[in-house]
Amino acid sequence: MGDPHARKSAAINRLRCQLRKKRESLADQFDFKMYIVFRFKEKKKNSAVFEVAEVVPVMTNNYEDSIMKGAKEEAYSYESSRELLERDVVQLHAPRWQPVRPDILGCTTDMDYFLWPRNDIDRIECHVFSRWKGDSGPYRPIVCDFVFSQLDYERQLMRLLGGREKSGLIINNPEQTVFLFVDKHLKQTSKSKVILFKLSSVCLYIPQDQLMSWGVGSVDELLSSCLSAVQSH
């Protein structure tokens, strides 16, 4: 009957060839769930957890102009930008979400999360689950780390303080797996003007060959661990 792994590999290769002919991404063959978790420095404080309302997969070169603009403004290097564009990478774009809280159900909004100046956030984590389209089975976690520490994103936000642009600003984690779109707001107080940065959307970058790298675990297990009273670091 032949090696089942070889048959699966051959079927996947045929699918990839068909997708290239149709100018589609392998990601278009999956349904996704994404959760964004804000971990706080206070260990006894529950994490803030949001479920993305709709995960939109697109190819990296669809955002080539934005990526190259960030490189020119020295948000990250030109070399790393070219490397990113040349890889076979899929973006998972998340513009809207809803809080995972029992007292707020079905409240979907555009992302608008206060990032800076504040010092209580430790890191931002994103967790992605997927399954083949048409599959009624459970979503499985994709084995890929999507973590952005407060120290890393605050350093980049500080560099954006003096710029003129107020929306569509992009920052990324060192691994270039998490890209945050942020907006700059100017708030007038009784004594002075204060600049605020808020998160407006999230993009995750995944090489296409990792889309089928599933691990163990479930959505319920993730939410249970995130919403427990004491976080583990």
Side-chain angles (χ1 to χ4, degrees):
M1 295 295 292
D3 184 358
H5 294 289
R7 290 199 304 271
K8 180 180 178 181
S9 177
I12 290 172
N13 287 334
R14 286 196 299 271
L15 175 60
R16 284 177 173 155
C17 290
Q18 293 170 3
L19 293 173
R20 280 195 292 269
K21 290 178 182 178
K22 295 180 179 179
R23 301 181 64 83
E24 293 181 3
S25 162
L26 181 61
D28 294 324
Q29 308 303 310
F30 296 94
D31 291 321
F32 294 95
K33 280 185 177 291
M34 185 192 303
Y35 294 87
I36 301 173
V37 182
F38 296 86
R39 300 281 191 178
F40 297 103
K41 294 177 181 177
E42 174 55 56
K43 294 184 178 180
K44 293 185 178 180
K45 184 176 181 179
N46 285 351
S47 301
V49 185
F50 297 84
E51 180 178 359
V52 173
E54 181 185 10
V55 181
V56 183
V58 295
M59 293 305 295
T60 296
N61 55 15
N62 289 6
Y63 276 157
E64 182 167 357
D65 291 343
S66 295
I67 293 173
M68 297 312 298
K69 181 179 179 182
K72 290 177 182 178
E73 295 176 353
E74 298 183 352
Y76 34 88
S77 72
Y78 177 84
E79 289 76 15
S80 65
S81 302
R82 291 309 314 172
E83 179 184 356
L84 196 64
L85 291 167
E86 290 166 2
R87 291 164 57 194
D88 198 15
V89 174
V90 172
Q91 288 186 10
L92 299 181
H93 185 57
R96 293 169 60 80
W97 62 10
Q98 57 192 20
V100 181
R101 286 174 48 185
D103 57 330
I104 305 178
L105 298 177
C107 182
T108 300
T109 62
D110 292 340
M111 288 190 188
D112 182 26
Y113 195 85
F114 178 37
L115 285 182
W116 188 89
R118 60 188 294 176
N119 59 9
D120 60 333
I121 297 175
D122 180 68
R123 65 192 183 275
I124 302 170
E125 299 175 357
C126 298
H127 300 267
V128 181
F129 296 77
S130 68
R131 66 186 182 190
W132 291 102
K133 283 188 181 294
D135 185 357
S136 60
Y139 284 86
R140 293 181 288 172
I142 291 178
V143 181
C144 191
D145 290 329
F146 303 103
V147 180
F148 205 161
S149 74
Q150 182 266 344
L151 290 176
D152 285 326
Y153 72 69
E154 185 175 270
R155 190 179 302 117
Q156 294 181 59
L157 291 176
M158 293 290 287
R159 292 204 299 265
L160 297 174
L161 282 173
R164 294 183 178 181
E165 295 190 4
K166 296 182 179 179
S167 61
L169 303 169
I170 307 173
I171 59 176
N172 63 277
N173 67 340
E175 296 77 18
Q176 296 188 351
T177 57
V178 182
F179 284 70
L180 304 183
F181 288 70
V182 296
D183 294 333
K184 183 165 59 174
H185 301 267
L186 186 62
K187 183 178 180 181
Q188 180 69 56
T189 68
S190 59
K191 296 183 179 180
S192 62
K193 293 181 179 179
V194 178
I195 294 178
L196 309 175
F197 286 103
K198 289 186 177 183
L199 175 67
S200 63
S201 66
V202 173
C203 270
L204 305 184
Y205 281 54
I206 305 179
Q208 285 200 83
D209 58 3
Q210 287 188 245
L211 289 173
M212 291 173 288
S213 297
W214 286 297
V216 297
S218 67
V219 170
D220 288 342
E221 289 172 350
L222 168 69
L223 297 182
S224 177
S225 66
C226 289
L227 299 174
S228 60
V230 180
Q231 299 177 28
S232 59
H233 288 261

